[in-house]
Amino acid sequence: VEEFSQVLNLTTSERIALARPGRFRVDVTPYFASLMDRDDPTCPIRRQVIPTSQELAPFEAEMEDSLAEDAHSPVPGLVHRYPDRVLMLVTTQCASYCRYCTRSRLVGDPHAQFSLADYREQIAYIARHPEVRDVLISGGDPLVLPLKTLERLLTDIRAIPHVEIIRIGSRVPVFLPQRIDDELVNVLKRFHPLWMNIHFNHPKELTPEVKEALARLANAGIPLGSQSVLLAGVNDCPNTIKALVRELVKNRVRPYYLYQCDLVHGAGHFRTTVSKGMEI
């Protein structure tokens, strides 16, 4: 409460949520905090990362693991739902924490990290399954890993002959665009074909710093896609989504998904009807 009071005029609802023990982790980078409107609690940047008391209330149909990832996890941190692709969870940490996080059951817990032994088991599983041609690296956010760790993982995956495509899912370019420096990009471009899906929700996120980060990635030959989550009070408006996708295309990012917000605890007030997404 004390830290956020320095940058925001907090509402009673925000104060209650920030002071609540045991709630989903709150962390915001100073850069992303600088984009929040100090006096407007409906600010679309602020709503995504600052908890309110609404998130503390359970809602009908909520689930801990709404995508049933744990049921399709043959080894720790690896999800194999579709025959030819796997999801590889490599960290539980992020640069900042979205209040509607799909994986809030495990993300943000510093005591629940994946180990080198977990990585080895994941790589060994992929190597044993020649039907896997596509590996999606996610978490948490893989771009918060130390560069040497990320480089080692990419090297080990690329050494598997039947893996054709590597994808990285990240929100670091939005939360911490300064992380996308020449050193990181020079490592990533050694592992082509490598794609990156970035999570954009609102046109206000496309700042000059973010545009510079996107240009570095695109200039390195990395195809970029955007995954957006439909969030009530943030972007559930055709004009907002149109402005977002047009700005993305100008910056060489392909609008890829508009997700219905998942049935996870704390996200009930963000959910819209499916028909709202279809209308947009």
Side-chain angles (χ1 to χ4, degrees):
V1 173
E2 290 73 21
E3 286 190 359
F4 282 108
S5 293
Q6 295 172 33
V7 293
L8 299 172
N9 289 322
L10 294 171
T11 64
T12 300
S13 177
E14 289 169 332
R15 286 180 178 276
I16 290 170
L18 284 167
R20 177 72 171 263
R23 47 114 178 89
F24 179 53
R25 181 170 170 181
V26 181
D27 262 346
V28 184
T29 58
Y31 159 78
F32 201 67
S34 77
L35 307 183
M36 298 189 290
D37 188 313
R38 182 184 185 90
D39 300 310
D40 182 7
T42 68
C43 164
I45 301 296
R46 180 168 167 172
R47 277 180 57 82
Q48 291 183 62
V49 289
I50 302 298
T52 64
S53 57
Q54 289 175 290
E55 112 176 16
L56 307 176
F59 66 98
E60 188 179 358
E62 75 169 47
M63 291 181 270
E64 185 179 47
D65 178 15
S66 65
L67 299 183
E69 290 181 335
D70 294 344
H72 294 92
S73 183
V75 300
L78 193 93
V79 180
H80 192 179
R81 172 180 283 130
Y82 306 111
D84 68 340
R85 64 203 59 202
V86 295
L87 167 66
M88 196 172 168
L89 304 179
V90 296
T91 179
T92 60
Q93 308 302 293
C94 292
S96 300
Y97 293 92
C98 308
R99 305 320 300 165
Y100 47 87
C101 178
T102 294
R103 298 195 185 104
S104 55
R105 69 189 187 281
L106 55 89
V107 164
D109 183 354
H111 305 296
Q113 274 291 29
F114 296 104
S115 66
L116 291 174
D118 292 327
Y119 296 157
R120 283 193 288 268
E121 206 171 342
Q122 292 171 354
I123 297 291
Y125 178 91
I126 297 168
R128 291 197 306 271
H129 287 78
E131 71 274 20
V132 174
R133 46 170 287 280
D134 181 351
V135 176
L136 170 59
I137 306 173
S138 186
D141 197 312
L143 295 190
V144 303
L145 288 174
L147 188 53
K148 286 293 181 190
T149 304
L150 181 62
E151 185 178 13
R152 180 76 259 163
L153 282 169
L154 291 169
T155 300
D156 290 346
I157 295 167
R158 188 45 80 210
I160 301 172
H162 54 262
V163 172
E164 299 170 8
I165 302 292
I166 299 174
R167 291 182 288 153
I168 292 176
S170 178
R171 211 175 183 199
V172 160
V174 178
F175 284 147
L176 192 66
Q178 298 82 359
R179 174 74 177 97
I180 312 301
D181 56 15
D182 291 338
E183 187 182 17
L184 173 67
V185 169
N186 286 335
V187 167
L188 294 178
K189 69 183 184 183
R190 288 176 25 221
F191 298 96
H192 281 311
L194 183 141
W195 296 55
M196 188 176 293
N197 284 332
I198 308 169
H199 175 172
F200 285 99
N201 289 331
H202 196 274
K204 276 186 74 173
E205 295 168 350
L206 282 141
T207 63
E209 293 87 352
V210 168
K211 291 176 182 179
E212 183 181 336
L214 295 175
R216 280 191 170 146
L217 292 166
N219 290 344
I222 300 170
L224 304 173
S226 172
Q227 304 187 140
S228 302
V229 178
L230 188 57
L231 300 167
V234 173
N235 61 12
D236 57 336
C237 163
N239 294 327
T240 301
I241 295 295
K242 182 166 79 169
L244 172 63
V245 299
R246 285 185 170 178
E247 199 62 28
L248 289 169
V249 169
K250 276 164 55 180
N251 287 279
R252 292 180 283 175
V253 182
R254 181 190 176 207
Y256 179 46
Y257 275 142
L258 181 60
Y259 282 111
Q260 178 76 358
C261 186
D262 279 323
L263 291 161
V264 290
H265 176 68
H269 60 293
F270 283 121
R271 284 177 56 80
T272 68
T273 59
V274 173
S275 61
K276 171 56 72 174
M278 294 174 69
E279 171 203 333
I280 291 172

